[in-house]
PDB file of all heavy atoms in Angstrom:
ATOM      1  N   TYR U 186       9.449  16.233 -21.994  1.00  0.00           N
ATOM      2  CA  TYR U 186       8.792  17.358 -22.624  1.00  0.00           C
ATOM      3  C   TYR U 186       9.696  17.984 -23.659  1.00  0.00           C
ATOM      4  O   TYR U 186       9.178  18.398 -24.705  1.00  0.00           O
ATOM      5  CB  TYR U 186       8.542  18.352 -21.468  1.00  0.00           C
ATOM      6  CG  TYR U 186       7.697  19.597 -21.883  1.00  0.00           C
ATOM      7  CD1 TYR U 186       6.360  19.608 -21.767  1.00  0.00           C
ATOM      8  CD2 TYR U 186       8.446  20.815 -22.329  1.00  0.00           C
ATOM      9  CE1 TYR U 186       5.633  20.820 -22.116  1.00  0.00           C
ATOM     10  CE2 TYR U 186       7.676  21.860 -22.694  1.00  0.00           C
ATOM     11  CZ  TYR U 186       6.305  21.933 -22.595  1.00  0.00           C
ATOM     12  OH  TYR U 186       5.605  22.988 -22.936  1.00  0.00           O
ATOM     13  N   VAL U 187      10.988  18.220 -23.365  1.00  0.00           N
ATOM     14  CA  VAL U 187      11.989  18.881 -24.391  1.00  0.00           C
ATOM     15  C   VAL U 187      12.072  17.977 -25.617  1.00  0.00           C
ATOM     16  O   VAL U 187      12.060  18.487 -26.641  1.00  0.00           O
ATOM     17  CB  VAL U 187      13.198  19.072 -23.642  1.00  0.00           C
ATOM     18  CG1 VAL U 187      14.271  19.605 -24.615  1.00  0.00           C
ATOM     19  CG2 VAL U 187      13.131  20.162 -22.451  1.00  0.00           C
ATOM     20  N   ILE U 188      12.176  16.626 -25.577  1.00  0.00           N
ATOM     21  CA  ILE U 188      12.338  15.810 -26.512  1.00  0.00           C
ATOM     22  C   ILE U 188      11.004  15.917 -27.441  1.00  0.00           C
ATOM     23  O   ILE U 188      11.208  16.053 -28.668  1.00  0.00           O
ATOM     24  CB  ILE U 188      12.557  14.372 -26.081  1.00  0.00           C
ATOM     25  CG1 ILE U 188      13.962  14.276 -25.513  1.00  0.00           C
ATOM     26  CG2 ILE U 188      12.258  13.385 -27.290  1.00  0.00           C
ATOM     27  CD1 ILE U 188      14.330  12.991 -24.877  1.00  0.00           C
ATOM     28  N   THR U 189       9.795  15.858 -26.898  1.00  0.00           N
ATOM     29  CA  THR U 189       8.681  15.961 -27.738  1.00  0.00           C
ATOM     30  C   THR U 189       8.377  17.200 -28.356  1.00  0.00           C
ATOM     31  O   THR U 189       7.948  17.402 -29.441  1.00  0.00           O
ATOM     32  CB  THR U 189       7.387  15.447 -26.843  1.00  0.00           C
ATOM     33  OG1 THR U 189       7.379  16.281 -25.768  1.00  0.00           O
ATOM     34  CG2 THR U 189       7.519  13.989 -26.606  1.00  0.00           C
ATOM     35  N   TRP U 190       8.841  18.383 -27.552  1.00  0.00           N
ATOM     36  CA  TRP U 190       8.814  19.762 -28.134  1.00  0.00           C
ATOM     37  C   TRP U 190       9.673  19.776 -29.403  1.00  0.00           C
ATOM     38  O   TRP U 190       9.337  20.243 -30.378  1.00  0.00           O
ATOM     39  CB  TRP U 190       9.235  20.750 -27.072  1.00  0.00           C
ATOM     40  CG  TRP U 190       9.383  22.037 -27.495  1.00  0.00           C
ATOM     41  CD1 TRP U 190       8.343  23.040 -27.564  1.00  0.00           C
ATOM     42  CD2 TRP U 190      10.555  22.851 -28.105  1.00  0.00           C
ATOM     43  NE1 TRP U 190       8.864  24.269 -28.069  1.00  0.00           N
ATOM     44  CE2 TRP U 190      10.168  24.152 -28.385  1.00  0.00           C
ATOM     45  CE3 TRP U 190      11.774  22.351 -28.381  1.00  0.00           C
ATOM     46  CZ2 TRP U 190      11.082  24.970 -29.008  1.00  0.00           C
ATOM     47  CZ3 TRP U 190      12.691  23.337 -28.889  1.00  0.00           C
ATOM     48  CH2 TRP U 190      12.327  24.561 -29.315  1.00  0.00           C
ATOM     49  N   GLY U 191      10.942  19.212 -29.350  1.00  0.00           N
ATOM     50  CA  GLY U 191      11.774  19.199 -30.388  1.00  0.00           C
ATOM     51  C   GLY U 191      11.356  18.366 -31.545  1.00  0.00           C
ATOM     52  O   GLY U 191      11.409  18.854 -32.782  1.00  0.00           O
ATOM     53  N   LEU U 192      10.721  17.285 -31.266  1.00  0.00           N
ATOM     54  CA  LEU U 192      10.191  16.451 -32.370  1.00  0.00           C
ATOM     55  C   LEU U 192       9.067  17.211 -33.151  1.00  0.00           C
ATOM     56  O   LEU U 192       8.935  17.181 -34.283  1.00  0.00           O
ATOM     57  CB  LEU U 192       9.669  15.175 -31.794  1.00  0.00           C
ATOM     58  CG  LEU U 192      10.645  13.994 -31.583  1.00  0.00           C
ATOM     59  CD1 LEU U 192       9.890  12.857 -30.971  1.00  0.00           C
ATOM     60  CD2 LEU U 192      11.145  13.550 -32.968  1.00  0.00           C
ATOM     61  N   ALA U 193       8.133  17.847 -32.323  1.00  0.00           N
ATOM     62  CA  ALA U 193       7.066  18.507 -32.996  1.00  0.00           C
ATOM     63  C   ALA U 193       7.480  19.706 -33.810  1.00  0.00           C
ATOM     64  O   ALA U 193       7.111  19.958 -34.907  1.00  0.00           O
ATOM     65  CB  ALA U 193       6.023  19.086 -31.953  1.00  0.00           C
ATOM     66  N   MET U 194       8.507  20.445 -33.321  1.00  0.00           N
ATOM     67  CA  MET U 194       9.072  21.534 -34.060  1.00  0.00           C
ATOM     68  C   MET U 194       9.675  21.086 -35.322  1.00  0.00           C
ATOM     69  O   MET U 194       9.574  21.623 -36.504  1.00  0.00           O
ATOM     70  CB  MET U 194      10.138  22.326 -33.157  1.00  0.00           C
ATOM     71  CG  MET U 194       9.448  23.154 -32.095  1.00  0.00           C
ATOM     72  SD  MET U 194       8.437  24.506 -32.769  1.00  0.00           S
ATOM     73  CE  MET U 194       9.654  25.579 -33.499  1.00  0.00           C
ATOM     74  N   LEU U 195      10.458  19.993 -35.202  1.00  0.00           N
ATOM     75  CA  LEU U 195      11.207  19.387 -36.474  1.00  0.00           C
ATOM     76  C   LEU U 195      10.308  19.019 -37.458  1.00  0.00           C
ATOM     77  O   LEU U 195      10.453  19.148 -38.680  1.00  0.00           O
ATOM     78  CB  LEU U 195      12.172  18.321 -35.947  1.00  0.00           C
ATOM     79  CG  LEU U 195      12.942  17.651 -36.972  1.00  0.00           C
ATOM     80  CD1 LEU U 195      13.973  18.542 -37.664  1.00  0.00           C
ATOM     81  CD2 LEU U 195      13.620  16.500 -36.381  1.00  0.00           C
ATOM     82  N   LEU U 196       9.251  18.234 -37.109  1.00  0.00           N
ATOM     83  CA  LEU U 196       8.363  17.464 -38.033  1.00  0.00           C
ATOM     84  C   LEU U 196       7.340  18.285 -38.646  1.00  0.00           C
ATOM     85  O   LEU U 196       7.049  18.053 -39.824  1.00  0.00           O
ATOM     86  CB  LEU U 196       7.720  16.237 -37.220  1.00  0.00           C
ATOM     87  CG  LEU U 196       8.677  15.212 -36.802  1.00  0.00           C
ATOM     88  CD1 LEU U 196       7.971  14.006 -36.076  1.00  0.00           C
ATOM     89  CD2 LEU U 196       9.446  14.584 -38.026  1.00  0.00           C
ATOM     90  N   PHE U 197       6.793  19.291 -37.892  1.00  0.00           N
ATOM     91  CA  PHE U 197       5.628  20.012 -38.447  1.00  0.00           C
ATOM     92  C   PHE U 197       5.521  21.483 -38.037  1.00  0.00           C
ATOM     93  O   PHE U 197       5.236  22.456 -38.608  1.00  0.00           O
ATOM     94  CB  PHE U 197       4.310  19.358 -38.472  1.00  0.00           C
ATOM     95  CG  PHE U 197       3.972  18.883 -37.040  1.00  0.00           C
ATOM     96  CD1 PHE U 197       3.357  19.816 -36.217  1.00  0.00           C
ATOM     97  CD2 PHE U 197       4.138  17.672 -36.689  1.00  0.00           C
ATOM     98  CE1 PHE U 197       2.910  19.319 -34.868  1.00  0.00           C
ATOM     99  CE2 PHE U 197       3.910  17.185 -35.494  1.00  0.00           C
ATOM    100  CZ  PHE U 197       3.185  18.040 -34.605  1.00  0.00           C
ATOM    101  N   ALA U 198       5.751  21.685 -36.683  1.00  0.00           N
ATOM    102  CA  ALA U 198       5.469  22.913 -36.094  1.00  0.00           C
ATOM    103  C   ALA U 198       6.169  24.075 -36.405  1.00  0.00           C
ATOM    104  O   ALA U 198       5.631  25.307 -36.379  1.00  0.00           O
ATOM    105  CB  ALA U 198       5.429  22.809 -34.500  1.00  0.00           C
ATOM    106  N   SER U 199       7.457  24.007 -36.790  1.00  0.00           N
ATOM    107  CA  SER U 199       8.300  25.098 -37.092  1.00  0.00           C
ATOM    108  C   SER U 199       7.792  25.918 -38.352  1.00  0.00           C
ATOM    109  O   SER U 199       8.196  27.080 -38.412  1.00  0.00           O
ATOM    110  CB  SER U 199       9.764  24.606 -37.297  1.00  0.00           C
ATOM    111  OG  SER U 199       9.702  23.669 -38.321  1.00  0.00           O
ATOM    112  N   ALA U 200       7.025  25.167 -39.116  1.00  0.00           N
ATOM    113  CA  ALA U 200       6.521  25.814 -40.290  1.00  0.00           C
ATOM    114  C   ALA U 200       5.535  26.940 -40.108  1.00  0.00           C
ATOM    115  O   ALA U 200       5.368  27.800 -40.967  1.00  0.00           O
ATOM    116  CB  ALA U 200       5.899  24.845 -41.364  1.00  0.00           C
ATOM    117  N   TYR U 201       4.886  26.987 -38.970  1.00  0.00           N
ATOM    118  CA  TYR U 201       3.872  27.969 -38.692  1.00  0.00           C
ATOM    119  C   TYR U 201       3.871  28.557 -37.314  1.00  0.00           C
ATOM    120  O   TYR U 201       3.017  29.283 -36.911  1.00  0.00           O
ATOM    121  CB  TYR U 201       2.470  27.468 -38.954  1.00  0.00           C
ATOM    122  CG  TYR U 201       2.158  26.249 -38.167  1.00  0.00           C
ATOM    123  CD1 TYR U 201       1.769  26.071 -36.843  1.00  0.00           C
ATOM    124  CD2 TYR U 201       2.274  24.862 -38.826  1.00  0.00           C
ATOM    125  CE1 TYR U 201       1.597  24.837 -36.200  1.00  0.00           C
ATOM    126  CE2 TYR U 201       2.025  23.709 -38.168  1.00  0.00           C
ATOM    127  CZ  TYR U 201       1.682  23.713 -36.887  1.00  0.00           C
ATOM    128  OH  TYR U 201       1.519  22.480 -36.236  1.00  0.00           O
ATOM    129  N   THR U 202       4.986  28.258 -36.466  1.00  0.00           N
ATOM    130  CA  THR U 202       5.055  28.706 -35.129  1.00  0.00           C
ATOM    131  C   THR U 202       6.132  29.721 -34.969  1.00  0.00           C
ATOM    132  O   THR U 202       7.312  29.501 -35.324  1.00  0.00           O
ATOM    133  CB  THR U 202       5.509  27.450 -34.214  1.00  0.00           C
ATOM    134  OG1 THR U 202       4.564  26.450 -34.445  1.00  0.00           O
ATOM    135  CG2 THR U 202       5.391  27.997 -32.742  1.00  0.00           C
ATOM    136  N   PRO U 203       5.810  30.968 -34.623  1.00  0.00           N
ATOM    137  CA  PRO U 203       6.780  32.129 -34.378  1.00  0.00           C
ATOM    138  C   PRO U 203       7.649  31.769 -33.252  1.00  0.00           C
ATOM    139  O   PRO U 203       7.312  30.960 -32.293  1.00  0.00           O
ATOM    140  CB  PRO U 203       5.888  33.299 -34.006  1.00  0.00           C
ATOM    141  CG  PRO U 203       4.464  32.832 -34.489  1.00  0.00           C
ATOM    142  CD  PRO U 203       4.376  31.411 -34.415  1.00  0.00           C
ATOM    143  N   THR U 204       8.910  32.239 -33.311  1.00  0.00           N
ATOM    144  CA  THR U 204       9.956  31.929 -32.306  1.00  0.00           C
ATOM    145  C   THR U 204       9.439  32.182 -30.880  1.00  0.00           C
ATOM    146  O   THR U 204       9.636  31.402 -30.000  1.00  0.00           O
ATOM    147  CB  THR U 204      11.133  32.737 -32.574  1.00  0.00           C
ATOM    148  OG1 THR U 204      11.545  32.370 -33.925  1.00  0.00           O
ATOM    149  CG2 THR U 204      12.259  32.344 -31.616  1.00  0.00           C
ATOM    150  N   ARG U 205       8.714  33.368 -30.671  1.00  0.00           N
ATOM    151  CA  ARG U 205       8.281  33.759 -29.391  1.00  0.00           C
ATOM    152  C   ARG U 205       7.326  32.733 -28.869  1.00  0.00           C
ATOM    153  O   ARG U 205       7.334  32.480 -27.595  1.00  0.00           O
ATOM    154  CB  ARG U 205       7.613  35.147 -29.301  1.00  0.00           C
ATOM    155  CG  ARG U 205       6.451  35.278 -30.133  1.00  0.00           C
ATOM    156  CD  ARG U 205       5.877  36.747 -30.145  1.00  0.00           C
ATOM    157  NE  ARG U 205       4.608  36.814 -30.782  1.00  0.00           N
ATOM    158  CZ  ARG U 205       4.437  36.810 -32.127  1.00  0.00           C
ATOM    159  NH1 ARG U 205       5.467  36.734 -32.849  1.00  0.00           N
ATOM    160  NH2 ARG U 205       3.288  36.822 -32.648  1.00  0.00           N
ATOM    161  N   VAL U 206       6.478  32.199 -29.629  1.00  0.00           N
ATOM    162  CA  VAL U 206       5.536  31.193 -29.287  1.00  0.00           C
ATOM    163  C   VAL U 206       6.176  29.850 -28.952  1.00  0.00           C
ATOM    164  O   VAL U 206       5.816  29.159 -28.000  1.00  0.00           O
ATOM    165  CB  VAL U 206       4.333  30.994 -30.311  1.00  0.00           C
ATOM    166  CG1 VAL U 206       3.482  29.981 -30.007  1.00  0.00           C
ATOM    167  CG2 VAL U 206       3.633  32.307 -30.547  1.00  0.00           C
ATOM    168  N   ALA U 207       7.063  29.441 -29.719  1.00  0.00           N
ATOM    169  CA  ALA U 207       7.849  28.239 -29.543  1.00  0.00           C
ATOM    170  C   ALA U 207       8.602  28.297 -28.171  1.00  0.00           C
ATOM    171  O   ALA U 207       8.675  27.411 -27.544  1.00  0.00           O
ATOM    172  CB  ALA U 207       8.825  28.040 -30.759  1.00  0.00           C
ATOM    173  N   LEU U 208       9.242  29.375 -27.926  1.00  0.00           N
ATOM    174  CA  LEU U 208       9.996  29.631 -26.708  1.00  0.00           C
ATOM    175  C   LEU U 208       9.090  29.471 -25.470  1.00  0.00           C
ATOM    176  O   LEU U 208       9.347  28.963 -24.439  1.00  0.00           O
ATOM    177  CB  LEU U 208      10.841  30.836 -26.726  1.00  0.00           C
ATOM    178  CG  LEU U 208      12.036  30.750 -27.693  1.00  0.00           C
ATOM    179  CD1 LEU U 208      12.731  32.102 -27.672  1.00  0.00           C
ATOM    180  CD2 LEU U 208      12.971  29.729 -27.323  1.00  0.00           C
ATOM    181  N   ALA U 209       7.905  30.234 -25.542  1.00  0.00           N
ATOM    182  CA  ALA U 209       6.956  30.129 -24.490  1.00  0.00           C
ATOM    183  C   ALA U 209       6.496  28.674 -24.174  1.00  0.00           C
ATOM    184  O   ALA U 209       6.321  28.268 -22.950  1.00  0.00           O
ATOM    185  CB  ALA U 209       5.713  31.010 -24.874  1.00  0.00           C
ATOM    186  N   ASN U 210       6.370  28.014 -25.302  1.00  0.00           N
ATOM    187  CA  ASN U 210       5.959  26.578 -25.054  1.00  0.00           C
ATOM    188  C   ASN U 210       6.983  25.738 -24.445  1.00  0.00           C
ATOM    189  O   ASN U 210       6.819  24.976 -23.509  1.00  0.00           O
ATOM    190  CB  ASN U 210       5.599  25.966 -26.428  1.00  0.00           C
ATOM    191  CG  ASN U 210       5.023  24.567 -26.493  1.00  0.00           C
ATOM    192  OD1 ASN U 210       5.535  23.595 -26.107  1.00  0.00           O
ATOM    193  ND2 ASN U 210       3.597  24.509 -26.720  1.00  0.00           N
ATOM    194  N   LEU U 211       8.245  26.044 -24.851  1.00  0.00           N
ATOM    195  CA  LEU U 211       9.462  25.330 -24.459  1.00  0.00           C
ATOM    196  C   LEU U 211       9.546  25.430 -22.866  1.00  0.00           C
ATOM    197  O   LEU U 211       9.920  24.495 -22.191  1.00  0.00           O
ATOM    198  CB  LEU U 211      10.779  25.675 -25.193  1.00  0.00           C
ATOM    199  CG  LEU U 211      12.108  25.113 -24.668  1.00  0.00           C
ATOM    200  CD1 LEU U 211      12.073  23.644 -24.741  1.00  0.00           C
ATOM    201  CD2 LEU U 211      13.206  25.799 -25.354  1.00  0.00           C
ATOM    202  N   SER U 226      -0.028  25.630 -28.976  1.00  0.00           N
ATOM    203  CA  SER U 226       1.007  25.740 -29.790  1.00  0.00           C
ATOM    204  C   SER U 226       1.963  24.555 -29.751  1.00  0.00           C
ATOM    205  O   SER U 226       1.873  23.727 -28.821  1.00  0.00           O
ATOM    206  CB  SER U 226       1.899  26.980 -29.413  1.00  0.00           C
ATOM    207  OG  SER U 226       2.310  26.869 -28.156  1.00  0.00           O
ATOM    208  N   VAL U 227       2.683  24.225 -30.885  1.00  0.00           N
ATOM    209  CA  VAL U 227       3.605  23.241 -31.023  1.00  0.00           C
ATOM    210  C   VAL U 227       3.001  21.759 -30.795  1.00  0.00           C
ATOM    211  O   VAL U 227       2.453  21.380 -31.866  1.00  0.00           O
ATOM    212  CB  VAL U 227       4.895  23.430 -30.125  1.00  0.00           C
ATOM    213  CG1 VAL U 227       5.946  22.448 -30.388  1.00  0.00           C
ATOM    214  CG2 VAL U 227       5.473  24.826 -30.149  1.00  0.00           C
ATOM    215  N   ASP U 228       3.024  21.332 -29.582  1.00  0.00           N
ATOM    216  CA  ASP U 228       2.393  20.038 -29.342  1.00  0.00           C
ATOM    217  C   ASP U 228       1.120  20.481 -28.403  1.00  0.00           C
ATOM    218  O   ASP U 228       1.372  20.616 -27.228  1.00  0.00           O
ATOM    219  CB  ASP U 228       3.247  19.020 -28.679  1.00  0.00           C
ATOM    220  CG  ASP U 228       2.681  17.769 -28.408  1.00  0.00           C
ATOM    221  OD1 ASP U 228       1.488  17.549 -28.749  1.00  0.00           O
ATOM    222  OD2 ASP U 228       3.277  16.850 -27.850  1.00  0.00           O
ATOM    223  N   ASN U 231       0.552  19.790 -24.733  1.00  0.00           N
ATOM    224  CA  ASN U 231       1.551  20.153 -23.705  1.00  0.00           C
ATOM    225  C   ASN U 231       1.062  21.311 -22.835  1.00  0.00           C
ATOM    226  O   ASN U 231       1.687  21.579 -21.815  1.00  0.00           O
ATOM    227  CB  ASN U 231       2.724  20.729 -24.517  1.00  0.00           C
ATOM    228  CG  ASN U 231       3.732  19.568 -25.000  1.00  0.00           C
ATOM    229  OD1 ASN U 231       3.456  18.403 -24.741  1.00  0.00           O
ATOM    230  ND2 ASN U 231       4.857  19.965 -25.631  1.00  0.00           N
ATOM    231  N   ILE U 407       1.679  14.237 -31.887  1.00  0.00           N
ATOM    232  CA  ILE U 407       2.777  14.377 -32.898  1.00  0.00           C
ATOM    233  C   ILE U 407       2.666  13.277 -33.964  1.00  0.00           C
ATOM    234  O   ILE U 407       2.895  13.521 -35.213  1.00  0.00           O
ATOM    235  CB  ILE U 407       4.120  14.242 -32.208  1.00  0.00           C
ATOM    236  CG1 ILE U 407       4.387  15.440 -31.183  1.00  0.00           C
ATOM    237  CG2 ILE U 407       5.317  14.210 -33.158  1.00  0.00           C
ATOM    238  CD1 ILE U 407       5.639  15.308 -30.309  1.00  0.00           C
ATOM    239  N   TYR U 411       1.950  14.215 -37.791  1.00  0.00           N
ATOM    240  CA  TYR U 411       2.898  13.900 -38.671  1.00  0.00           C
ATOM    241  C   TYR U 411       2.382  12.796 -39.623  1.00  0.00           C
ATOM    242  O   TYR U 411       2.678  12.797 -40.874  1.00  0.00           O
ATOM    243  CB  TYR U 411       4.220  13.443 -38.074  1.00  0.00           C
ATOM    244  CG  TYR U 411       5.309  13.378 -39.030  1.00  0.00           C
ATOM    245  CD1 TYR U 411       5.797  14.404 -39.787  1.00  0.00           C
ATOM    246  CD2 TYR U 411       5.970  12.081 -39.200  1.00  0.00           C
ATOM    247  CE1 TYR U 411       6.843  14.179 -40.647  1.00  0.00           C
ATOM    248  CE2 TYR U 411       7.033  11.909 -39.993  1.00  0.00           C
ATOM    249  CZ  TYR U 411       7.468  12.967 -40.814  1.00  0.00           C
ATOM    250  OH  TYR U 411       8.456  12.816 -41.679  1.00  0.00           O
ATOM    251  N   LYS U 414       0.389  14.393 -42.288  1.00  0.00           N
ATOM    252  CA  LYS U 414       1.265  15.174 -43.068  1.00  0.00           C
ATOM    253  C   LYS U 414       1.741  14.112 -44.248  1.00  0.00           C
ATOM    254  O   LYS U 414       1.761  14.511 -45.295  1.00  0.00           O
ATOM    255  CB  LYS U 414       2.287  15.975 -42.355  1.00  0.00           C
ATOM    256  CG  LYS U 414       3.377  16.640 -43.218  1.00  0.00           C
ATOM    257  CD  LYS U 414       4.396  17.206 -42.283  1.00  0.00           C
ATOM    258  CE  LYS U 414       5.483  18.084 -43.229  1.00  0.00           C
ATOM    259  NZ  LYS U 414       6.496  18.613 -42.381  1.00  0.00           N
TER     260      LYS U 414
END
Side-chain angles (χ1 to χ4, degrees):
Y186 185 92
V187 170
I188 289 171
T189 53
W190 176 90
L192 276 175
M194 289 294 293
L195 176 66
L196 296 177
F197 54 85
S199 61
Y201 52 79
T202 306
T204 300
R205 66 182 184 282
V206 175
L208 291 176
N210 191 287
L211 176 62
S226 58
V227 187
D228 182 1
N231 279 359
I407 297 173
Y411 188 61
K414 180 180 178 180

